[in-house]
Structures are given as C-alpha cells and as structure tokens.
Amino acid sequence: MAIDDDVLDWLLDSDPALRWQVQRDLAGDPPAVWEATRALVATEGWGADLLSKQDPDGQWAGGSFFPAGFFGSAEAEQPGQPWVATTWVLKDLREWGLDAAALPDEAEKLEANSRWDYDDLPYWGGEIDVCINSYTLASGAWLGADVSALAKWFPAHRLADGGWNCEAEEGNSTRSSFHSTLNAVRGMLAYERITGDTSLRDARHGGEEYLLSRNLLYRASTGELVGEFATQFVYPNRHRYSVLAALDHFRDVSLLEGTPPDPRLSDAIDQVRAARQPDGTWLQSRRLAGRTWFDVDVPAGEPSPWLTLIGTRVLDWWDAAR
C-alpha cells in the first residue's frame, strides 16, 4: 500500500521516537538514516523529557507501578490510573527505541531501590500480574537485568486454554483474556528478540494460537465480537487490547521468525483497513484516563500519527505477502 506523500511528510515531521520508525518501516530509508534519528531519542523530545524526570534512585514518580502516595489519595478515586511510575516509563522508552546505554546502572538501581506495591516484592522478580510481569521481563532484558527466574514464570502460569489472565492469580478466572495474553506474548517476544533466548517460544506460540483461533476478534463460546475494545484503536494503548495492536505483534513475529502472515488474521486486517480514512490516516478512538507526564498523541477523533504509522506498516506487511 503506497503511502501518500503528504501523509508521509506529516509523519516525518514528528518526535524522533516516532520519526525513526517511519523512516525504517514506511520511507524505506537505509539503516544509517533511521539509526541516527533513533539515537536522538535520548537527547531530544519525549525521550529526553522522560529521562529528565527520573528520580535519583532510578525510579520515576517514586514508585514501581503506581507513583508514591497513590494509595489512599484522591487520585486513586479517579478513573483510570496514573501512567507516570517506573514500569510505564521504561515501557515507553524501550518501545520508543531508547538505547539502554542512556540509563547506566538502571538495572542495579531498581534492584536496590524499587519494590512492587504487591507484597513489597523485589522489582526484577516480578509479581503476580501477568501484564506487569510482561513489561518487567522485556525491560529487564533491555537493561541487562537478570530476569531468568521471571522468564520461567510465564510457561508455569499459562491457563488450560493457552493464554493468560491477570485475574487468574487471584482465583477470579480460569479463562484467558485477550488483553493479558497479548501483553504476555509481546513481553516474551521482546525478551527473545533482545536476548536471543528461545526458551519461551513454545509458550509464546501457545498464547498466539489462543488469539489466532479466535481470529483476534471473537469469543470462542459464541463467535461474537469479544468487545468493542477490539476495534477501537488507541495510542498509547498501555495494557489495552485491539486488533491493531495484536496485528503489530504478529508482524513483529513474522519479521523475527521469517514466517508469512497467518490467514486467520484476515478478519482483523479488514477491520484495520475499514478504519483507514480517505486521506490515509487513522483516528484516535479515545485517550485512556489517568495522569501522564505529557501527551504523546492527539485527542479522540483526530488523525493520530502513531496509529497511522502502525496501521500503515501492518497493511504493508499483509499486502506484500500477497
């Protein structure tokens, strides 16, 4: 799918965190070009802004998953949650392409200074929430932390239907969740890509099969749409599932493993194609409630540079295989 020159120029006129991916995935620039832009994430724009907000102890906002003082505060009674604490910031910086060298000794600082809100557990060991553990696994691999024990957690906590559910550890569910399973497989894929360790590949493939068997969209029990969230595209999506986020993961899998797109993705692809506007952009569906350090995308109803990048590269990948 050829991208319109005006849309490409619009995407290129953006923060380095977005621009290097546009150069690599859409513009076809050589590595020397997009790698130079990627290096700017540490010194310009959103990446530099987040780095400037780091606490001396290596955390952000004084906490691991929630900011210091959150529990019992008025903010805790508001919709959503704050997205400013350590885990969320590391997830953003990693996904924006920051070189881990910009965070020297970060793994050691968090080992010494950061504990989970759940049971005061040590940071790099993770806790009981699969989504939190997936972000921690990926960020630990990126920063060079020892997350080998955490890696073993994922196969041990898969549910019988093949996926994962954040509610399962509290005994509240025995069925997998689209949200939790996508987060789990994305974390495991990042771990494999960074470390080269393929020991989680079978578990990851099982979670991916859970999603594929439902065409990324449908309940196994009724064949109905799993929920409106599946076709509502959001950036930043944080923990939230959509078929666009899932397709971006399956594209990453295809590129890493050298495999073609699975035909069962076709219904999800149709949803992404239908959401494309006549001018070649995708609109922000909503913003997730909760405090952020700053905005990195547009309000609901406006053309989203991030969603347009992701939507375009997903369709390019799918169409090129055909």
Side-chain angles (χ1 to χ4, degrees), residues 8 21-31 33-34:
L8 183 60
Q21 298 183 65
V22 175
Q23 292 172 328
R24 182 192 65 180
D25 298 337
L26 305 187
D29 288 341
V33 173
W34 60 260

Side-chain angles (χ1 to χ4, degrees), residues 256-310:
L256 180 68
E257 298 184 5
T259 53
D262 191 295
R264 290 173 291 179
L265 299 174
S266 61
D267 285 3
I269 286 287
D270 289 344
Q271 292 289 335
V272 171
R273 206 182 298 277
R276 184 173 181 256
Q277 300 300 297
D279 64 358
T281 65
W282 277 260
L283 305 181
Q284 177 83 275
S285 290
R286 54 177 291 199
R287 279 182 176 162
L288 300 186
R291 175 163 54 105
T292 62
W293 287 111
F294 43 79
D295 292 332
V296 296
D297 208 349
V298 296
E302 295 187 12
S304 160
W306 280 104
L307 296 176
T308 299
L309 161 68
I310 298 168

